[in-house]
Amino acid sequence: MAGGWSMGGLHMVKRSESRAPVYAPEVEPKALGFEVLMNLEVKTCQAPDCSPVIVKAPYVSEKMRTDVYEVEDKRHSLAGNPLAKELSEPRGEGLIPFPEQENVGSSISITVVGASGDLAKKKIFPALFALYYEDCLPEIVVVFDNARTKMNDEELTNTINRTLTCKIDKRENCEDKMDQFLQRCFYHSGHKWWTRVIVEKPFGHDSVSSGELTRCLKRYIIEDQTFRIDHYLGKELVENLSVLRFSNLVFQPLWSGNYIRNVQLIFYEDFADHLILVLVFRYFDNYGIIRDIMQNHLLQILVLFSMETPVSLDAKDIRNEKVKVLRSMSPLHLEDVVAGQYKGHNKGGMSYPAYTDDPTVPKDSLTPTFAAATLFINNARWDGVPFLMKVDKARHTKQSKFSSDMSQINSKIPGLGMRLDRSDLNLLYRGRYSREIPYAYERLLLDAIEGERRLFIRSDELDAAWSLFTPLLKKLEEKKIVPELYPYGSRGPVGAHYLAAKYNVRWEDLSGDD
Ligand SMILES: NC(=O)C1=CN([C@@H]2O[C@H](COP(=O)(O)OP(=O)(O)OC[C@H]3O[C@@H](n4cnc5c(N)ncnc54)[C@H](OP(=O)(O)O)[C@@H]3O)[C@@H](O)[C@H]2O)C=CC1
Ligand SMILES: O=C1O[C@H](COP(=O)(O)O)[C@@H](O)[C@H](O)[C@H]1O
């Protein structure tokens, strides 16, 4: 199975676990615009001397068959050799040192689809290395790449090497650990057997394509093997939101429309921060900011903020509550949405091009780079409370913030008088904890390895999220709604201010805005 649908997907095999056969009996070339490269029937077994059996199905290419057999041959030649020794020796062409589990204990094989891409460079490899550094991955870890661009081992390790950092300078043995980690990375363009697949967004384009994608995936893997990632769920602050809500009894009676008059979720980013702008634009212009950020990251935070207390911390119970609140949300109306696109302008001697000035973006593109929306939840707890979202890719600062008016508390200004000030009850870790914060992908990759599903999106949850946004996106696109233009680096279209004012709300604009 390959990754047009999940350009930053990871296919993972946990060798110490699930031995259930995975069947991929049907062929569906080019379904949904992605190539089904994987057409192998893969079976694994439990006998100590049993290698995976890889059975060729009718449509597997000659190249892939050769690759598969090469892997098997090498495996046999490694039988009985301690892996540690293999890994410390120079790697030969095509050698894939995959250990026999019974010799070495727990091991893991990870296939990164799209190692040359922005996501892999910025987030996946640094997270995998951080996990490796922290000894959270088994000693035996083998990372493969699997993109269309052909590389050799050296090119792959060079690519990965450029992405790795020691989060805090001069960490003990960091260089050595990096070398060890790189020794465990191999390029391979064929396909592996797997037990878990982490799927990166976009999960389709709308309800229909998302449903198709889910059905396609289900032909190869069951729901429990599918880990749909939304990396915002792996961020410390987002995790802390649930802790704040559910483990501080003082908040329980306050957490409703009786005390909270509005909730705001804000995301700002600077397009210019992206490493490979051309690729980013190409992807972005097909999706736009509503699909890229609102329908997933911000909606997930909104859901965690508003859902009822789950019966337990079990993934099933949490996800059931998330689905319930998503299904309670009112349809989004065009009047409650503002779409914007940045235009070119000059400021302070600087010249900023328009979104449509980019050569990869069509001149008449209506793709929003900014959006604001008001959402409502039709249940007793949140009746009438506006949840406002604002997302913008054309800021000079990168920030995300979620807040409610309850987080503003009165305090006395020091002095002899009695003057009051409103200060924020904030969850910021900066200044409070000296320990470093793990990357979101670090947490989520580890959860997937451990089979913890709590922070991943279940298919009915995804359906509910698309049901909410699809009618709106359809209207925007069918009516060819022209986005409001606004200058790069500004506060965005003026329409967003009217939208908030309609509900008697002032945006909690973030510091650093101009
Ligand atoms: N960039 C980011 O910070 C984040 C991105 N994401 C999501 O991750 C996904 C990927 O984003 P990003 O890395 O930025 O995109 P890029 O365009 O930078 O990279 C795409 C990668 O996928 C590979 N690829 C594309 N098509 C195929 C295919 N059919 N088979 C195998 N490999 C393929 C490409 O390599 P090649 O062309 O050689 O095949 C390339 O390595 C997006 O869906 C995005 O929503 C999510 C969170 C953050
Ligand atoms: O999913 C995505 O998120 C990133 C922003 O992630 P962050 O953790 O750096 O806040 C965004 O740049 C990208 O467009 C989007 O696809």
Side-chain angles (χ1 to χ4, degrees), residues 287-305:
Y287 287 89
I289 199 151
I290 298 177
R291 289 185 176 92
D292 193 40
I293 307 289
M294 257 190 189
Q295 183 267 357
N296 33 66
H297 302 328
L298 294 198
L299 186 62
Q300 284 295 324
I301 300 174
L302 189 159
V303 163
L304 290 182
F305 186 95

Side-chain angles (χ1 to χ4, degrees), residues 118-119 122-123 200-201 230-232 235 267-269 271 274 280 283-284 292-293 296-297 393 398 400 440-441:
D118 187 52
L119 173 70
K122 273 193 348 209
K123 298 192 192 286
E200 183 55 80
K201 74 178 183 56
D230 183 314
H231 75 283
Y232 267 61
K235 292 195 184 253
F267 170 99
Y268 295 155
E269 197 172 51
F271 251 143
H274 282 283
V280 170
Y283 153 73
F284 185 85
D292 193 40
I293 307 289
N296 33 66
H297 302 328
K393 282 273 198 179
K398 172 167 176 51
S400 355
Y441 275 93

Side-chain angles (χ1 to χ4, degrees), residues 385-405:
V385 177
F387 286 78
L388 289 106
M389 291 183 178
K390 184 157 67 153
V391 287
D392 188 359
K393 282 273 198 179
R395 296 281 167 143
H396 292 313
T397 48
K398 172 167 176 51
Q399 282 180 349
S400 355
K401 178 172 184 172
F402 60 96
S403 60
S404 74
D405 52 351

Side-chain angles (χ1 to χ4, degrees), residues 1-12 34-35 37-38 110-121 124-125 128 143-149 151 156 187-192 194 196-200:
M1 179 163 322
W5 44 270
S6 71
M7 290 187 297
L10 293 178
H11 295 172
M12 312 188 61
F34 66 84
E35 288 177 19
L37 298 178
M38 171 66 195
I110 300 172
T111 302
V112 178
V113 180
S116 56
D118 187 52
L119 173 70
K121 287 178 183 159
I124 306 284
F125 286 123
L128 285 175
V143 179
F144 299 92
D145 169 40
N146 202 336
R148 294 165 304 183
T149 312
M151 295 189 207
L156 174 69
Y187 177 77
H188 187 71
S189 62
H191 289 273
K192 303 283 158 314
W194 60 78
R196 293 191 191 142
V197 180
I198 302 183
V199 188
E200 183 55 80

